Amino acid sequence: MRFKVPQDSETIIWTKHAIEKMMQYQLSESRVRRVLHTPHRIEEGIAPQTIAAMQSVGTPKHPKEIWVMFQEIKTKNNKRNKKIKINPLHQRIRIISVWRYPGKTPIRELPQLPDDEWEFLKKGLFAD
């Protein structure tokens, strides 16, 4: 099956890094959205001003977790710029990274990240 690249919407902006990680871990756009809408746990992200949401998957014998790190985007409500219409019920977010964690992370502790994730965060590509 071919991977369908997610498109930006009124509420979600996808970074190139997140799309690459979705392909690497074989996660679809709908699976990532499901983690965002019904997370089992929400933690503070490891990067500044980020949030990480998690859903448990797998079996009790072989537990896995899907993590989504995102950043809330502050928008200025300009009356002049009517091209950007944002639904007031939903905040606009930027998906920074997505990964599948083998095992179960302890509650209220940050998950271990692969080395390439740390390199991405150090570069600060997601900072405003």
CSV table of all heavy atoms in Angstrom, one decimal, residues 11-44:
chain,number,residue,atom,x,y,z
A,11,THR,N,-6.7,23.4,10.9
A,11,THR,CA,-6.4,23.1,12.3
A,11,THR,C,-5.0,22.5,12.5
A,11,THR,O,-4.4,22.6,13.5
A,11,THR,CB,-7.4,22.3,13.0
A,11,THR,OG1,-7.6,21.0,12.3
A,11,THR,CG2,-8.8,23.0,13.1
A,12,ILE,N,-4.5,21.8,11.5
A,12,ILE,CA,-3.2,21.0,11.6
A,12,ILE,C,-2.3,21.4,10.5
A,12,ILE,O,-2.6,21.4,9.3
A,12,ILE,CB,-3.5,19.5,11.6
A,12,ILE,CG1,-4.3,19.1,12.8
A,12,ILE,CG2,-2.2,18.8,11.6
A,12,ILE,CD1,-4.6,17.7,12.9
A,13,ILE,N,-1.0,21.7,10.9
A,13,ILE,CA,0.1,21.9,10.0
A,13,ILE,C,1.1,20.8,10.2
A,13,ILE,O,1.5,20.5,11.3
A,13,ILE,CB,0.8,23.3,10.3
A,13,ILE,CG1,-0.2,24.4,10.0
A,13,ILE,CG2,2.0,23.4,9.4
A,13,ILE,CD1,0.3,25.8,10.4
A,14,TRP,N,1.5,20.1,9.1
A,14,TRP,CA,2.4,18.9,9.2
A,14,TRP,C,3.8,19.4,8.8
A,14,TRP,O,4.0,20.0,7.8
A,14,TRP,CB,1.9,17.9,8.2
A,14,TRP,CG,0.6,17.4,8.5
A,14,TRP,CD1,-0.6,17.9,8.0
A,14,TRP,CD2,0.2,16.3,9.4
A,14,TRP,NE1,-1.7,17.1,8.5
A,14,TRP,CE2,-1.2,16.2,9.3
A,14,TRP,CE3,0.9,15.4,10.1
A,14,TRP,CZ2,-1.9,15.2,10.1
A,14,TRP,CZ3,0.2,14.4,10.8
A,14,TRP,CH2,-1.2,14.3,10.8
A,15,THR,N,4.8,19.1,9.7
A,15,THR,CA,6.2,19.4,9.3
A,15,THR,C,6.7,18.3,8.4
A,15,THR,O,6.2,17.1,8.4
A,15,THR,CB,7.1,19.5,10.5
A,15,THR,OG1,7.1,18.3,11.2
A,15,THR,CG2,6.6,20.7,11.4
A,16,LYS,N,7.7,18.6,7.7
A,16,LYS,CA,8.3,17.6,6.8
A,16,LYS,C,8.9,16.4,7.6
A,16,LYS,O,8.8,15.3,7.3
A,16,LYS,CB,9.4,18.2,6.0
A,16,LYS,CG,10.1,17.3,5.0
A,16,LYS,CD,11.2,18.0,4.2
A,16,LYS,CE,11.9,17.1,3.3
A,16,LYS,NZ,13.0,17.7,2.5
A,17,HIS,N,9.4,16.8,8.8
A,17,HIS,CA,10.0,15.8,9.7
A,17,HIS,C,8.9,14.8,10.2
A,17,HIS,O,9.2,13.6,10.2
A,17,HIS,CB,10.7,16.5,10.9
A,17,HIS,CG,11.2,15.5,11.9
A,17,HIS,ND1,12.4,14.9,11.7
A,17,HIS,CD2,10.8,15.1,13.1
A,17,HIS,CE1,12.6,14.1,12.7
A,17,HIS,NE2,11.7,14.2,13.6
A,18,ALA,N,7.8,15.3,10.5
A,18,ALA,CA,6.7,14.4,11.0
A,18,ALA,C,6.2,13.5,9.9
A,18,ALA,O,5.9,12.3,10.1
A,18,ALA,CB,5.5,15.3,11.5
A,19,ILE,N,6.2,14.0,8.7
A,19,ILE,CA,5.7,13.2,7.5
A,19,ILE,C,6.8,12.0,7.3
A,19,ILE,O,6.4,10.9,7.1
A,19,ILE,CB,5.5,14.0,6.3
A,19,ILE,CG1,4.3,15.0,6.5
A,19,ILE,CG2,5.3,13.2,5.0
A,19,ILE,CD1,4.2,16.0,5.4
A,20,GLU,N,8.0,12.4,7.4
A,20,GLU,CA,9.1,11.4,7.2
A,20,GLU,C,9.0,10.3,8.3
A,20,GLU,O,9.1,9.1,8.0
A,20,GLU,CB,10.5,12.0,7.2
A,20,GLU,CG,10.8,12.8,6.0
A,20,GLU,CD,12.0,13.6,6.1
A,20,GLU,OE1,12.7,13.6,7.2
A,20,GLU,OE2,12.4,14.3,5.2
A,21,LYS,N,8.7,10.7,9.5
A,21,LYS,CA,8.6,9.8,10.6
A,21,LYS,C,7.3,8.9,10.5
A,21,LYS,O,7.3,7.7,10.9
A,21,LYS,CB,8.6,10.5,12.0
A,21,LYS,CG,9.9,11.1,12.3
A,21,LYS,CD,11.0,10.0,12.4
A,21,LYS,CE,12.4,10.5,12.6
A,21,LYS,NZ,13.4,9.5,12.6
A,22,MET,N,6.3,9.5,10.0
A,22,MET,CA,5.1,8.7,9.7
A,22,MET,C,5.4,7.6,8.7
A,22,MET,O,4.9,6.4,8.9
A,22,MET,CB,4.0,9.6,9.2
A,22,MET,CG,3.4,10.5,10.3
A,22,MET,SD,2.2,11.7,9.6
A,22,MET,CE,1.0,10.7,8.9
A,23,MET,N,6.1,7.9,7.7
A,23,MET,CA,6.5,6.9,6.7
A,23,MET,C,7.4,5.8,7.3
A,23,MET,O,7.3,4.6,7.1
A,23,MET,CB,7.2,7.5,5.5
A,23,MET,CG,6.3,8.3,4.6
A,23,MET,SD,6.9,9.0,3.1
A,23,MET,CE,8.5,9.4,3.3
A,24,GLN,N,8.4,6.3,8.2
A,24,GLN,CA,9.3,5.3,8.8
A,24,GLN,C,8.6,4.4,9.7
A,24,GLN,O,8.9,3.2,9.7
A,24,GLN,CB,10.3,6.1,9.6
A,24,GLN,CG,11.3,5.2,10.3
A,24,GLN,CD,12.3,6.0,11.2
A,24,GLN,OE1,12.4,7.2,11.0
A,24,GLN,NE2,13.0,5.4,12.1
A,25,TYR,N,7.6,4.9,10.5
A,25,TYR,CA,7.0,4.0,11.5
A,25,TYR,C,5.6,3.5,11.0
A,25,TYR,O,4.9,2.9,11.7
A,25,TYR,CB,6.7,4.8,12.8
A,25,TYR,CG,8.0,5.1,13.5
A,25,TYR,CD1,8.5,6.4,13.7
A,25,TYR,CD2,8.8,4.1,14.1
A,25,TYR,CE1,9.6,6.7,14.3
A,25,TYR,CE2,10.0,4.4,14.7
A,25,TYR,CZ,10.4,5.7,14.9
A,25,TYR,OH,11.5,5.9,15.5
A,26,GLN,N,5.3,3.7,9.7
A,26,GLN,CA,4.1,3.2,9.0
A,26,GLN,C,2.9,3.6,9.8
A,26,GLN,O,2.0,2.8,10.1
A,26,GLN,CB,4.2,1.7,8.9
A,26,GLN,CG,5.3,1.2,8.0
A,26,GLN,CD,5.4,-0.3,7.9
A,26,GLN,OE1,4.7,-1.0,8.6
A,26,GLN,NE2,6.3,-0.8,7.1
A,27,LEU,N,2.8,4.9,10.0
A,27,LEU,CA,1.6,5.5,10.7
A,27,LEU,C,0.8,6.4,9.7
A,27,LEU,O,1.4,7.2,8.9
A,27,LEU,CB,2.0,6.4,11.9
A,27,LEU,CG,2.7,5.6,13.0
A,27,LEU,CD1,3.3,6.6,14.0
A,27,LEU,CD2,1.7,4.7,13.7
A,28,SER,N,-0.5,6.2,9.6
A,28,SER,CA,-1.3,7.0,8.7
A,28,SER,C,-1.7,8.3,9.4
A,28,SER,O,-1.6,8.5,10.6
A,28,SER,CB,-2.5,6.2,8.3
A,28,SER,OG,-3.4,6.0,9.4
A,29,GLU,N,-2.2,9.2,8.5
A,29,GLU,CA,-2.7,10.5,9.0
A,29,GLU,C,-3.9,10.3,10.0
A,29,GLU,O,-3.9,10.9,11.1
A,29,GLU,CB,-3.2,11.4,7.9
A,29,GLU,CG,-3.8,12.7,8.3
A,29,GLU,CD,-4.4,13.5,7.1
A,29,GLU,OE1,-4.3,13.0,6.0
A,29,GLU,OE2,-4.9,14.6,7.4
A,30,SER,N,-4.8,9.4,9.7
A,30,SER,CA,-5.9,9.1,10.6
A,30,SER,C,-5.5,8.6,11.9
A,30,SER,O,-6.1,8.9,13.0
A,30,SER,CB,-6.9,8.2,9.9
A,30,SER,OG,-6.3,7.0,9.6
A,31,ARG,N,-4.4,7.8,11.9
A,31,ARG,CA,-3.9,7.2,13.2
A,31,ARG,C,-3.3,8.3,14.1
A,31,ARG,O,-3.5,8.3,15.3
A,31,ARG,CB,-2.8,6.1,12.9
A,31,ARG,CG,-2.4,5.4,14.1
A,31,ARG,CD,-3.6,4.6,14.7
A,31,ARG,NE,-3.2,3.8,15.8
A,31,ARG,CZ,-3.6,4.0,17.1
A,31,ARG,NH1,-4.5,5.0,17.3
A,31,ARG,NH2,-3.2,3.3,18.1
A,32,VAL,N,-2.6,9.2,13.5
A,32,VAL,CA,-2.0,10.3,14.2
A,32,VAL,C,-3.1,11.3,14.7
A,32,VAL,O,-3.1,11.7,15.9
A,32,VAL,CB,-1.0,11.1,13.3
A,32,VAL,CG1,-0.5,12.4,14.0
A,32,VAL,CG2,0.2,10.2,12.9
A,33,ARG,N,-4.1,11.5,13.9
A,33,ARG,CA,-5.3,12.3,14.4
A,33,ARG,C,-6.0,11.7,15.5
A,33,ARG,O,-6.4,12.3,16.5
A,33,ARG,CB,-6.2,12.6,13.2
A,33,ARG,CG,-5.7,13.6,12.2
A,33,ARG,CD,-6.8,13.8,11.1
A,33,ARG,NE,-6.3,14.7,10.1
A,33,ARG,CZ,-6.6,16.0,10.1
A,33,ARG,NH1,-7.4,16.5,11.1
A,33,ARG,NH2,-6.2,16.8,9.2
A,34,ARG,N,-6.1,10.3,15.5
A,34,ARG,CA,-6.8,9.6,16.6
A,34,ARG,C,-6.0,9.8,17.9
A,34,ARG,O,-6.6,9.9,19.0
A,34,ARG,CB,-6.9,8.2,16.2
A,34,ARG,CG,-7.8,7.4,17.2
A,34,ARG,CD,-8.2,6.0,16.8
A,34,ARG,NE,-7.3,5.4,15.8
A,34,ARG,CZ,-7.3,4.1,15.6
A,34,ARG,NH1,-8.0,3.3,16.3
A,34,ARG,NH2,-6.5,3.6,14.6
A,35,VAL,N,-4.7,9.8,17.8
A,35,VAL,CA,-3.9,10.0,19.0
A,35,VAL,C,-4.1,11.4,19.6
A,35,VAL,O,-4.2,11.6,20.8
A,35,VAL,CB,-2.4,9.8,18.7
A,35,VAL,CG1,-1.5,10.2,19.9
A,35,VAL,CG2,-2.1,8.3,18.3
A,36,LEU,N,-4.2,12.4,18.7
A,36,LEU,CA,-4.5,13.7,19.1
A,36,LEU,C,-5.8,13.9,19.7
A,36,LEU,O,-6.0,14.6,20.7
A,36,LEU,CB,-4.3,14.7,17.9
A,36,LEU,CG,-2.9,14.9,17.4
A,36,LEU,CD1,-2.9,15.8,16.1
A,36,LEU,CD2,-2.0,15.6,18.4
A,37,HIS,N,-6.8,13.3,19.2
A,37,HIS,CA,-8.2,13.5,19.6
A,37,HIS,C,-8.6,12.7,20.9
A,37,HIS,O,-9.3,13.2,21.7
A,37,HIS,CB,-9.2,13.2,18.5
A,37,HIS,CG,-9.2,14.1,17.4
A,37,HIS,ND1,-9.8,14.0,16.2
A,37,HIS,CD2,-8.5,15.4,17.3
A,37,HIS,CE1,-9.6,15.0,15.4
A,37,HIS,NE2,-8.8,15.8,16.0
A,38,THR,N,-8.0,11.5,21.0
A,38,THR,CA,-8.3,10.7,22.2
A,38,THR,C,-7.0,10.1,22.8
A,38,THR,O,-6.8,8.9,22.7
A,38,THR,CB,-9.2,9.5,21.8
A,38,THR,OG1,-8.7,8.8,20.8
A,38,THR,CG2,-10.6,10.1,21.5
A,39,PRO,N,-6.1,10.9,23.3
A,39,PRO,CA,-4.9,10.4,23.9
A,39,PRO,C,-5.1,9.7,25.2
A,39,PRO,O,-6.1,10.0,26.0
A,39,PRO,CB,-4.1,11.7,24.1
A,39,PRO,CG,-5.0,12.7,24.3
A,39,PRO,CD,-6.2,12.4,23.5
A,40,HIS,N,-4.3,8.7,25.5
A,40,HIS,CA,-4.4,8.0,26.8
A,40,HIS,C,-3.6,8.8,27.8
A,40,HIS,O,-3.9,8.7,29.0
A,40,HIS,CB,-3.8,6.6,26.7
A,40,HIS,CG,-4.6,5.7,25.8
A,40,HIS,ND1,-4.1,4.5,25.4
A,40,HIS,CD2,-5.8,5.8,25.3
A,40,HIS,CE1,-5.1,3.9,24.7
A,40,HIS,NE2,-6.1,4.7,24.6
A,41,ARG,N,-2.7,9.6,27.4
A,41,ARG,CA,-1.8,10.3,28.3
A,41,ARG,C,-1.3,11.6,27.6
A,41,ARG,O,-1.0,11.5,26.4
A,41,ARG,CB,-0.7,9.5,28.8
A,41,ARG,CG,0.0,10.1,30.0
A,41,ARG,CD,0.9,9.1,30.7
A,41,ARG,NE,2.2,9.0,30.0
A,41,ARG,CZ,2.9,7.9,29.9
A,41,ARG,NH1,2.5,6.8,30.4
A,41,ARG,NH2,4.1,7.9,29.3
A,42,ILE,N,-1.2,12.7,28.3
A,42,ILE,CA,-0.6,13.9,27.7
A,42,ILE,C,0.5,14.3,28.7
A,42,ILE,O,0.3,14.4,29.9
A,42,ILE,CB,-1.7,15.0,27.6
A,42,ILE,CG1,-2.7,14.6,26.6
A,42,ILE,CG2,-1.0,16.3,27.2
A,42,ILE,CD1,-3.9,15.6,26.5
A,43,GLU,N,1.7,14.6,28.1
A,43,GLU,CA,2.8,15.0,28.9
A,43,GLU,C,3.4,16.3,28.3
A,43,GLU,O,3.0,16.7,27.2
A,43,GLU,CB,3.9,14.0,28.8
A,43,GLU,CG,3.6,12.6,29.3
A,43,GLU,CD,3.6,12.5,30.8
A,43,GLU,OE1,4.3,13.3,31.4
A,43,GLU,OE2,3.0,11.6,31.3
A,44,GLU,N,4.2,17.0,29.0
A,44,GLU,CA,5.0,18.1,28.5
A,44,GLU,C,6.0,17.6,27.6
A,44,GLU,O,6.7,16.6,27.8
A,44,GLU,CB,5.6,18.9,29.7
A,44,GLU,CG,6.3,20.1,29.3
A,44,GLU,CD,6.9,20.8,30.5
A,44,GLU,OE1,6.4,20.6,31.6
A,44,GLU,OE2,7.9,21.6,30.2
